[in-house]
Amino acid sequence: MIPTRDLAARFEAYGDWRRRLSDGVARLHEWLRRQELADAQIDHKIAQVTERLHQDKLVVAFVAEFSRGKSELINAIFFADFGARLLPSSAGRTTMCPTELLHDAAMPPSIRLLPIETRGREATVAEFKNYPDEWQSFPLDLASAERMTEALARVSQVKRVPVALARKYGLFADDADKAHAGDDEATVEVPVWRHAVINFPHPLLQQGLVILDTPGLNAIGTEPELTLNQLPNAHAVLFLLAADAGVTKTDLEVWNRHLAGDGNASKAGRIVVLNKIDGLWDDLKSETQIRADIERQINATALVLNIPPSQVFGVSAQKALVAKVNGDDALLARSRLPALETALTAELIPAKRDIIGAATQTDARALAMGVRAILAARKAGIAEQLGELTALRGKNLDVVEHMMDRIREEKDLFERGLARYTALRTVFTQQTNEIFDTIGLTALRANAGRTRDRMERSQFTKGVREAMNDFFAQIRGDFERAGAQSVEVHDMMKAMYVRFANDHGLEPFMPPPFSVLKYQKEVERLERAYNTHFNTLWNMVSKAKFALMKRFFETVASRARHVYDIANRDVESWLKAVMAPLETQVREHHLQLRRRLESIRRIHQASDELEDRIAELEQAKETLDGQLAGLAGQLAAIDEIVEAADVLPRAANSLAA
Ligand SMILES: Nc1nc2c(ncn2[C@@H]2O[C@H](COP(=O)(O)OP(=O)(O)OP(=O)(O)O)[C@@H](O)[C@H]2O)c(=O)[nH]1
Ligand SMILES: [Mg+2]
């Protein structure tokens, strides 16, 4: 059979690493539980970290004009083991709707399809994903390659609908269709489906890989979600050209519009594939001559796209598929696919590993910091008690009584001080509510509603543009205000911690600050993408553009909602991280005062208790030291997994332009 390929092996190693990291986190949790240091908040945080490790997806998108061989390349890289051409690939337009390939163990293997009619409604594909009944599902029979191919052929289905309907779906924009522009009786061909999700238990998909196959020609322009969401969020985008066609005008359009980047270096890896190099294989030429021909084409392509030639990979997807299916190693080498697979691996997995590793490390550290603060407070309390009790050695009852009075006073004072803490809680809740109001979904919904109205009322470019500009300005304002409000909370809490630490002789806790930069960046990106596409859309056939504009706006609004959702979630966990330690400190300190009072009282009643009590405290101190060391050990174990250099190389960014 086919030797284990590089990409598959690397991907499995990555999956393996993720599992080990997840085990490391589970061990930390287990340890905290055994030490009785885990509370509800820690349980919640650990569950989040673990969930992220399990759900981690790696998205690779394939983009090109039609017939460049996207589907064939996907077949060759990922599905050759199946021994057949899984995705339909043929001359002319083949893939008619964006097609996601993934694995979801909770569902049986199937192809789910969203009818094109859903384009007549305002919701986006992402939203429809929450409603399974909107999709048509067909099972995949893994035992029969033939029946599977048959089921998957649905992504190519088309039908004829009246022009007016096509226009309503925002699909009537092709130059070729312009001939009928005035004739609403005529019919045009449209895809039967809007989006396809193939659930298939391929080992790579099971590891969290998601493949996005896109239809060529205009589809990218008419499905705003691809442009605004799916492509920018892919971890790698493969752009395909065909050696026999060279770089055509439409190829360049797709490249400039969706891949060239907008100046701020995008994180996603961009790989250019010059497919169909088998067209240059010529029996009358020597291998050396052929190789020179291929290199020349690669260099020319790189020049036109303004990227280094090392970023362009000449391959033959078709020959690679044949070679893999037949186990023909010589042909596989000639297809040059292995070089592309290696590059893909080098780009993708280490980058992903770095991101997820760093995030896990950060979370584990933050968690440990909270626990360490508790342990430190307990240790300080014990040291204090030890000091007091050792000083009592050989003293008479009067001194003990005097000390008891002093601690009682201290306790009373502290309890009276609790009123200040309660007042702080009130202010804190007020400020918290303000933040949630600022970036609440109600605010966004109102903003979107206003914009929608204004867009509908305005028939001119200027009005629509202004409405959209105001929409973004409002969002920017929201995040700016939320940022300022979070600074207020942070300042107040910081002051409170310093004061608490001073009053009670503790190390002050430094609450983490909150940054809105992440959301601002995402909104900026959205606005940039919107600006880039606005003119393209506006220049379309006049009757179609309003439907399209509306859909475009709904996608923008849905992305904005996503940003608000995440921001709300982040704010919530930040507020907890800021407040919870103070609550713990207050509780711990109160407990300690009570313990101190109790032990002095016992000594007052029977002076022979003194030495026993001192011994007990020494013991408790040792336990705490052991816990601190244990915690450090758990953290070091996680760091070691994250930083292990043996299994996979770290991101080299070798392909980043
Ligand atoms: N000679 C040759 N033909 C290829 C190669 N790769 C793909 N093809 C052919 O090119 C045609 C188009 O391939 P597809 O995979 O359907 O192309 P696509 O980019 O997915 O096209 P759409 O789905 O329409 O966007 C098919 O007939 C393939 O067999 C290749 O490396 N060499
Ligand atoms: Mg295709």
Side-chain angles (χ1 to χ4, degrees), residues 120 154 274 309 415 442 535 556 594:
R154 289 195 171 83
L274 185 64
E415 278 163 5
T442 322
N535 288 330
V556 169
R594 291 219 306 264

Side-chain angles (χ1 to χ4, degrees), residues 67 69-72 89-90 94-95 216 275-276 278 316-318:
S67 224
K70 295 177 291 291
S71 303
E72 188 79 334
S89 157
S90 62
T94 307
T95 312
N275 190 26
K276 308 194 186 184
D278 55 298
S316 170
Q318 196 192 51

Side-chain angles (χ1 to χ4, degrees), residues 23-81:
D23 289 347
V25 174
R27 273 196 299 275
L28 168 66
H29 194 197
E30 182 51 39
W31 180 86
L32 288 170
R33 261 202 304 253
R34 267 205 316 272
Q35 306 292 321
E36 287 173 11
L37 289 166
D39 56 14
Q41 209 211 330
I42 285 180
D43 292 346
H44 177 70
K45 192 80 215 168
I46 297 251
Q48 261 182 2
V49 173
T50 313
E51 166 122 343
R52 188 179 50 212
L53 278 168
H54 284 308
Q55 284 202 338
D56 180 35
K57 297 273 183 224
L58 245 162
V59 183
V60 183
F62 288 66
V63 175
E65 245 298 35
F66 73 99
S67 224
R68 297 295 181 255
K70 295 177 291 291
S71 303
E72 188 79 334
L73 186 59
I74 293 172
N75 284 329
I77 297 182
F78 299 103
F79 302 110
D81 289 346

Side-chain angles (χ1 to χ4, degrees), residues 301-465:
T301 306
L303 199 65
V304 178
L305 300 183
N306 192 21
I307 51 168
S310 60
Q311 216 172 322
V312 183
F313 293 84
V315 304
S316 170
Q318 196 192 51
K319 299 295 181 226
L321 178 61
V322 172
K324 281 185 180 181
V325 169
N326 296 333
D328 183 343
D329 287 348
L331 186 61
L332 184 61
R334 204 164 183 226
S335 78
R336 294 200 185 195
L337 189 69
L340 172 62
E341 287 178 341
T342 307
L344 194 58
T345 318
E347 172 81 355
L348 213 55
I349 295 172
K352 188 71 183 153
R353 185 190 142 144
D354 281 2
I355 295 167
I356 194 125
T360 308
Q361 238 171 353
T362 308
D363 284 343
R365 283 194 187 134
L367 209 129
M369 194 162 89
V371 174
R372 216 179 285 124
I374 296 173
L375 294 178
R378 286 185 190 165
K379 226 178 122 177
I382 285 178
E384 177 132 20
Q385 283 194 58
L386 267 173
E388 279 169 0
L389 295 190
T390 350
L392 284 182
R393 276 179 169 143
K395 296 281 159 51
N396 63 23
L397 218 56
D398 280 356
V399 180
V400 179
E401 244 162 46
H402 177 70
M403 177 158 286
M404 203 157 78
D405 286 344
R406 230 190 51 208
I407 298 175
R408 197 175 289 130
E409 250 167 57
E410 204 178 316
K411 183 165 160 281
D412 288 348
L413 198 73
F414 178 76
E415 278 163 5
R416 255 175 283 135
L418 279 182
R420 194 167 56 213
Y421 165 73
T422 316
L424 171 97
R425 278 239 60 143
T426 313
V427 178
F428 183 78
T429 310
Q430 266 164 16
Q431 289 184 334
T432 310
N433 288 342
E434 275 168 29
I435 299 186
F436 284 126
D437 282 346
T438 307
I439 52 165
L441 287 184
T442 322
L444 178 67
R445 222 172 282 134
N447 182 13
R450 266 195 314 275
T451 313
R452 214 173 277 128
D453 286 350
R454 279 176 64 188
M455 283 177 68
E456 248 151 50
R457 268 184 281 117
S458 169
Q459 300 294 303
F460 299 102
T461 323
K462 193 158 162 279
V464 175
R465 217 184 235 294

Side-chain angles (χ1 to χ4, degrees), residues 7 139 222 226 348 413 597:
L7 180 64
T222 52
L226 267 181
L348 213 55
L413 198 73
L597 197 59

